[in-house]
Amino acid sequence: MPALVFEHTFDNEPPPQFQVLAHLFAPPPPEYSPPLNDFTPYNNRAEFELADLLYRRTQMPATQINDLLQIWATTLPADNDPPFVNKQDLYDTIDLSPLGGVPWESFGVSYNGDMGDGDSPAPWKMAEYDVWFRDPRLVLQEQLKNPDFAKEMDFAPKRVFDPDGKRCYTDFMSGNWCWRHADMIAENRDNHGSTFCPIILGSDKTTVSVATGQNEYYPLYMSNGLVHNNVRRAHRNAVSLIGFLAVPKTDREHQDSEEFRNFRRRLFHGSIRRILEPLRLGMDTPEIVQFGDGHYRRVIYGIGPYIADYPEQVLLTCIVQGWCPRCTARWDDLDGEGGRRSHEHTLALFDALGTKALWKGYGIVSDIMPFTYGFPRADIHELVAPDLLHQVIKGTFKDHLVTWIEEYIDLVHSPAEAARIHADIDRRIMAAPSFPGLRRFPEGRGFKQWTGDDSKALMKVYLPAISGHIPPQMVRAVSSFVEFCYLVRRSIIDESTLAAIDLAVADFHRERSIFEHEGICPNGFSLPRQHSLPHYHHLTQEFGAPNGLCSSITESKHIKAVKEPWRRSSRFEALGQMLIINQRLDKLAAMRVNFQARGMLNGPLFDPISLPEDGGSPVDTTDIDGGANNKPSDSNIDGADDESDSDADDNDGGGLDSQNIIGEVKLARVPFAKIPRNVPDLAHHLGIPQLRELIRLFLFQQYHPNRADLDELPPNDFPYHDGHILAFPSAIATFFAPSDYSGIGGMYRERIRATPSWRLGPPRYDCIFVEQDPEALGFRGLHAARVLLFFSFRFETVLYPCALVTWFSAIGEEPCPNTRMWRVKPDLDANGEHIMEVIHIDCILRAAHLLGDAGEKHIPHYLMHSDSLDAFKTFYVNKFADHHAHEIAF
């Protein structure tokens, strides 16, 4: 984790009239705030929670809201009413919220050029196009004063260093771009003492109904660059919908005409320029803005990165499809030499070259400048953000590499044999064992519409599935690219990681040549998405870790801001209804943040009821430690502080907002309810007769951790315990994993299962990483094991939470050179049985994912994912299971 942070400061004092307001720690002036427990416009907390439940969480249709409230009314005395009379009363109450909901405005755009010859101009020339927007200045101010972000913002550009003095790139404000622009702003002495606040934009057309077609919307989003990347990724109102751009359409006769395409470009850039106009004055002159911590600061706005996929980048930068939006490398040799694009360079070319030369020689569309031209310190060519989702995950991996491998198999094998190989690859993917957060493919890859999450999930299990079916160089091409993906998706990227990124790109470029030699890509690799990979080093230095600017952020926002509101509409003139829905959602979110900041939502509204995993009566948890006087509050039992995490849930893990722990493993809250609770009977029930001796050996090791002569000692020397024991279906590992879908503090929680039946189906016994040598790097300092049982018992007043495991040993001294993953095999005794051991759960680091190594053999059709860990003789340690695994199992 970074150790040192240096913030950008100005050399001189701010002007006297602003000294108090501009000072970082200046107390804010007195501000009116409602009395505590004033839930206006709601009467009380229950009424607010009901409105939030009906309108936001469940999105209940209007007719059902009316039905619910009428049924509710019949249960009340005659002189009592439910919280809302009907759906309109609910909507009116939400609309009265004093916070949130910047109003929507609109302007119309129409074509004013040459109508052409004849009496009937093209239809698109006669139409008027409405653009709806919200004042970005007011939206930005709402974001900045949101108390939910108060401790998760940077008020100045920063430079972060690790304990070894290496530069680290994390949040957006840690990049060089922000520092450089702060220097530009500081050249004007009147700006000293100001906070530079760049805006982050994003847009992308989305279709809300594939069946009916033509239902396209063009949302425009905005975030601020001050919030930390994890806040922007967590969708906590740090990304706001600020507009719906027009989507001009015409008939087939005109849709491909140069005139219509030029109009669409001008409509796009002119609309965004008009929407951002309220920010222009604040880009030169500081504006006093209140922040979420209550302080007022002088703010200078600026246009920052723009999140977009490649087709959108082409439109944004006014270039020709197939060219790079950042450099001038030729479309037919993108990996060749190229200079940096800029507004100045484009204008110079306008003066020197004609339309045809601009198009063919530089890939520039003539006679139009991007919307950033004319705004202070803004150049779209340096602001195009890296796009992990479309360039890397869906583009290069799924659309290129996976497709090329399928084409290679079809090319070199007969149709029948190719089909057998494709089917075996599918079966290998289907046979991947269950793992927290892993999306399974029960039918292989045989579905038509791939999402970004599908591609990410396939990436995790793809390498062992193809290994043995394609040449090793192809496997290395895929593994070097996947390595690049996991490096650039980290939340903290230091100089060593940047060097590893460059090395992975070089390896990928070298190994991908096999696709050219085998005739899959006979014309080489002049592909814009792959060409973007070498730019990631520079873009990381400019904008911080790329995962804070990924288009997956805006695509996720599509669901809440566009698709769900459209589904809630009547479908007739839906846009107006969608605007109202978004405004009400903003009001509910703003009121919730305000109530939370005032401490009015602390504690549950009602007490939850926790049931055991088998669905029976609640278990008496006072028996966990062996008696009613022994409370289940030991640090290794998942106690009552974790109300939302019950064994009754199927959830295998997720983000955790707590920041008070470094990492830990706890047994589940509730033990198995219907299995024996003494050692001999439990051993018989599980069919593990050696359990008693293994527990005795464990106890001896606890008292004599440094004894090496255990095999020479008589069994009678070991402590004896045949008493009370509790078995648990799972344990919960909590650790710091900011690159995964963690909580705001970077903490992640996963459930490790050891149960004879999961989801009323087959057994599930997960694998784990066990710490071996803290000084060794990567997997060299770890062991892989499989958990057969989680249990706890008390011996001489000490509670021992334990796991019964079988072990795996590494094959060789290095990872597999083709897949870049370690290979392991089970540890067996002289009789071919798995070697078992009881360990303390404090030795467990987290869950591990092992994938079967089938080599060139085809796996049986009947092999199920639940049997995979028993079916193979060797396994790959899947460091691509998630980002934390990639950082520890290299």
Side-chain angles (χ1 to χ4, degrees):
M1 295 175 63
L4 298 174
V5 178
F6 296 97
E7 290 191 339
H8 190 290
T9 59
F10 297 108
D11 295 333
N12 300 312
E13 290 295 318
Q17 67 269 31
F18 290 114
Q19 282 187 5
V20 175
L21 291 175
H23 195 279
L24 186 63
F25 302 106
E31 180 189 2
Y32 168 78
S33 60
L36 198 62
N37 292 326
D38 181 358
F39 283 89
T40 303
Y42 307 95
N43 291 317
N44 49 52
R45 176 180 176 183
E47 191 171 294
F48 166 73
E49 295 284 10
L50 178 63
D52 189 58
L53 173 69
L54 296 179
Y55 197 83
R56 180 184 64 87
R57 291 166 56 191
T58 64
Q59 302 179 22
M60 185 175 288
T63 55
Q64 294 183 19
I65 293 176
N66 284 335
D67 292 344
L68 173 66
L69 294 173
Q70 289 174 8
I71 294 170
W72 191 338
T74 64
T75 67
L76 301 174
D79 56 344
N80 287 356
D81 293 320
F84 305 101
V85 177
N86 51 34
K87 55 101 176 176
Q88 193 59 48
D89 186 26
L90 168 67
Y91 298 161
D92 291 343
T93 304
I94 296 174
D95 292 339
L96 289 173
S97 301
L99 301 177
V102 175
W104 286 93
E105 306 173 52
S106 70
F107 59 86
V109 181
S110 58
Y111 178 75
N112 61 358
D114 182 15
M115 291 293 181
D117 299 330
D119 297 331
S120 56
W124 63 268
K125 294 183 178 182
M126 306 296 294
E128 181 168 315
Y129 304 93
D130 291 329
V131 177
W132 287 88
F133 72 102
R134 297 193 289 180
D135 188 328
R137 176 174 162 273
L138 299 180
V139 173
L140 185 59
Q141 289 178 358
E142 281 205 340
Q143 288 184 5
L144 296 178
K145 73 177 181 182
N146 188 334
D148 201 24
F149 307 150
K151 296 181 180 180
E152 294 155 355
M153 301 181 79
D154 295 311
F155 302 112
K158 61 184 181 181
R159 287 176 176 169
V160 184
F161 299 85
D162 68 9
D164 297 325
K166 295 179 183 176
R167 177 81 180 271
C168 297
Y169 300 93
T170 56
D171 303 308
F172 174 67
M173 296 297 280
S174 70
N176 294 333
W177 183 88
C178 289
W179 194 282
R180 188 169 63 250
H181 279 247
D183 285 341
M184 296 179 192
I185 293 170
E187 292 174 0
N188 183 347
R189 188 179 182 281
D190 291 340
N191 294 336
H192 288 194
S194 299
T195 293
F196 173 46
C197 178
I199 62 170
I200 296 172
L201 299 169
S203 64
D204 183 28
K205 282 199 291 285
T206 183
T207 302
V208 294
S209 176
V210 176
T212 57
Q214 303 301 313
N215 290 310
E216 284 187 317
Y217 292 94
Y218 210 154
L220 177 66
Y221 302 108
M222 183 184 71
S223 180
N224 69 83
L226 304 187
V227 294
H228 295 166
N229 283 359
N230 53 3
V231 176
R232 195 174 301 110
R233 290 167 57 199
H235 316 301
R236 286 170 49 200
N237 304 311
V239 179
S240 301
L241 176 68
I242 64 168
F244 278 99
L245 305 177
V247 184
K249 296 182 181 297
T250 189
D251 53 31
R252 292 188 178 184
E253 180 183 354
H254 301 95
Q255 65 182 8
D256 293 325
S257 68
E258 184 65 26
E259 199 175 23
F260 180 62
R261 290 200 299 265
N262 284 336
F263 172 72
R264 285 189 304 182
R265 294 188 193 100
R266 294 182 182 278
L267 174 61
F268 174 83
H269 288 277
S271 298
I272 297 180
R273 188 178 292 114
R274 166 66 179 83
I275 291 172
L276 298 182
E277 193 62 33
L279 291 170
R280 182 186 294 274
L281 181 61
M283 294 180 183
D284 288 317
T285 304
E287 182 173 292
I288 298 174
V289 177
Q290 184 184 17
F291 281 70
D293 58 2
H295 296 276
Y296 287 79
R297 294 176 175 86
R298 302 172 69 216
V299 173
I300 291 282
Y301 303 126
I303 297 178
Y306 202 113
I307 300 172
D309 60 12
Y310 177 71
E312 193 84 352
Q313 292 175 4
V314 169
L315 178 61
L316 279 165
T317 54
C318 301
I319 63 168
V320 179
Q321 187 84 15
W323 291 73
C324 175
R326 298 191 62 87
C327 71
T328 59
R330 286 190 54 83
W331 69 273
D332 53 358
D333 186 22
L334 284 173
D335 291 333
E337 295 295 326
R340 186 176 68 88
R341 292 188 185 271
S342 67
H343 288 338
E344 291 76 11
H345 181 252
T346 300
L347 290 172
L349 291 175
F350 280 175
D351 291 338
L353 302 175
T355 300
K356 191 172 182 180
L358 287 169
W359 183 284
K360 290 190 172 182
Y362 292 90
I364 294 175
V365 178
S366 61
D367 300 328
I368 183 171
M369 290 294 290
F371 76 90
T372 49
Y373 180 68
F375 281 101
R377 306 176 304 278
D379 188 329
I380 191 61
H381 298 292
E382 72 170 9
L383 296 177
V384 173
D387 181 15
L388 290 169
L389 178 62
H390 295 95
Q391 289 174 339
V392 176
I393 298 166
K394 292 176 70 174
T396 303
F397 175 68
K398 191 269 173 185
D399 294 340
H400 294 167
L401 293 177
V402 174
T403 301
W404 293 349
I405 287 172
E406 292 180 349
E407 291 175 357
Y408 168 80
I409 293 172
D410 292 337
L411 180 67
V412 300
H413 296 284
S414 67
E417 180 61 19
R420 288 185 64 244
I421 294 175
H422 289 312
D424 188 64
I425 292 174
D426 282 346
R427 286 195 297 274
R428 293 184 184 189
I429 293 171
M430 294 159 56
S434 297
F435 184 76
L438 181 69
R439 183 218 191 281
R440 293 194 58 254
F441 292 86
E443 303 298 331
R445 299 157 296 156
F447 50 95
K448 295 181 179 179
Q449 188 159 349
W450 282 75
T451 67
D453 288 340
D454 294 330
S455 297
K456 292 176 189 176
L458 180 63
M459 189 182 294
K460 296 178 179 183
V461 298
Y462 191 58
L463 283 164
I466 60 175
S467 183
H469 284 313
I470 61 174
Q473 186 176 347
M474 283 190 185
V475 179
R476 292 195 298 272
V478 176
S479 67
S480 58
F481 176 74
V482 175
E483 182 76 11
F484 165 83
C485 292
Y486 276 73
L487 291 170
V488 297
R489 289 162 66 190
R490 290 184 178 181
S491 289
I492 302 172
I493 298 179
D494 60 20
E495 294 170 354
S496 298
T497 310
L498 286 175
I501 289 171
D502 291 340
L503 181 60
V505 172
D507 290 345
F508 173 62
H509 284 172
R510 181 181 65 254
E511 304 295 354
R512 72 177 178 179
S513 62
I514 189 173
F515 292 105
E516 185 176 11
H517 298 155
E518 294 291 342
I520 305 302
C521 301
N523 299 320
F525 307 98
S526 191
L527 303 166
R529 290 175 177 84
Q530 291 194 26
H531 166 72
S532 70
L533 305 186
H535 285 309
Y536 272 77
H537 183 128
H538 172 69
L539 292 173
T540 300
Q541 293 176 317
E542 287 288 280
F543 301 139
N547 67 7
L549 298 173
C550 181
S551 60
S552 60
I553 296 172
T554 53
E555 288 214 349
S556 297
K557 190 70 177 177
H558 283 344
I559 298 173
K560 297 295 182 184
V562 182
K563 296 187 177 182
E564 288 181 356
W566 183 84
R567 296 187 191 111
R568 296 172 67 172
S569 73
S570 67
R571 313 294 202 273
F572 176 70
E573 296 184 350
L575 181 56
Q577 301 166 60
M578 294 162 62
L579 301 180
I580 294 174
I581 291 170
N582 273 286
Q583 188 159 322
R584 287 174 179 158
L585 292 173
D586 287 347
K587 285 179 173 290
L588 283 169
M591 295 305 295
R592 175 169 291 280
V593 169
N594 179 266
F595 294 153
Q596 286 175 333
R598 292 156 58 194
M600 296 161 58
L601 302 182
N602 293 341
L605 190 61
F606 50 85
D607 294 328
I609 299 175
S610 178
L611 294 176
E613 188 164 336
D614 60 9
S617 301
V619 174
D620 180 8
T621 55
T622 59
D623 194 38
I624 288 180
D625 285 351
N629 295 325
N630 298 316
K631 301 298 182 183
S633 58
D634 188 275
S635 61
N636 290 110
I637 299 295
D638 184 24
D641 60 326
D642 187 19
E643 296 172 356
S644 64
D645 202 5
S646 167
D647 278 326
D649 295 333
D650 277 337
N651 185 12
D652 271 343
L656 181 68
D657 284 341
S658 173
Q659 302 182 28
N660 300 322
I661 54 177
I662 298 176
E664 64 183 7
V665 178
K666 289 182 177 182
L667 293 178
R669 179 198 305 274
V670 182
F672 283 119
K674 298 178 181 179
I675 66 174
R677 296 194 174 187
N678 63 73
V679 175
D681 290 345
L682 180 62
H684 177 74
H685 176 82
L686 298 175
I688 307 176
Q690 62 268 49
L691 179 62
R692 303 168 71 184
E693 286 69 28
L694 292 174
I695 291 177
R696 296 180 66 187
L697 176 60
F698 165 79
L699 288 171
F700 184 86
Q701 291 174 317
Q702 293 297 302
Y703 285 92
H704 306 89
N706 298 320
R707 289 290 293 268
D709 57 344
L710 298 179
D711 294 338
E712 302 174 6
L713 296 176
N716 290 337
D717 287 359
F718 296 162
Y720 188 82
H721 178 75
D722 261 359
H724 192 272
I725 187 171
L726 289 176
F728 294 82
S730 63
I732 298 165
T734 305
F735 47 90
F736 183 69
S739 301
D740 291 299
Y741 290 114
S742 55
I744 294 301
M747 300 305 297
Y748 184 82
R749 166 170 289 184
E750 68 183 4
R751 191 177 291 276
I752 308 167
R753 299 188 183 271
T755 176
S757 178
W758 183 54
R759 292 181 174 173
L760 303 179
R764 176 172 168 181
Y765 297 100
D766 290 344
C767 294
I768 55 174
F769 288 117
V770 179
E771 292 183 281
Q772 173 194 9
D773 181 2
E775 302 299 322
L777 297 177
F779 187 69
R780 292 176 177 85
L782 302 173
H783 278 310
R786 188 182 186 190
V787 182
L788 302 182
L789 177 69
F790 286 112
F791 64 95
S792 71
F793 65 93
R794 186 173 291 277
F795 183 77
E796 294 183 353
T797 74
V798 178
L799 179 68
Y800 291 100
C802 301
L804 176 66
V805 303
T806 61
W807 294 104
F808 297 85
S809 293
I811 300 174
E813 301 296 326
E814 298 288 339
C816 168
N818 296 329
T819 63
R820 299 182 180 230
M821 292 188 281
W822 286 87
R823 296 171 67 239
V824 295
K825 60 182 180 180
D827 289 350
L828 306 176
D829 60 19
N831 297 320
E833 300 292 332
H834 290 275
I835 297 175
M836 299 183 188
E837 185 176 351
V838 172
I839 63 172
H840 199 288
I841 66 170
D842 284 348
C843 302
I844 299 174
L845 182 61
R846 58 154 303 180
H849 194 223
L850 303 188
L851 295 170
D853 176 12
E856 298 181 1
K857 296 180 180 178
H858 290 240
I859 68 173
H861 290 72
Y862 55 79
L863 181 62
M864 303 294 293
H865 73 279
S866 54
D867 302 322
S868 183
L869 291 171
D870 299 313
F872 293 92
K873 294 182 178 179
T874 59
F875 298 86
Y876 290 102
V877 179
N878 187 9
K879 72 173 184 177
F880 300 118
D882 56 38
H883 294 283
H884 184 260
H886 182 260
E887 294 174 12
I888 66 171
F890 56 89

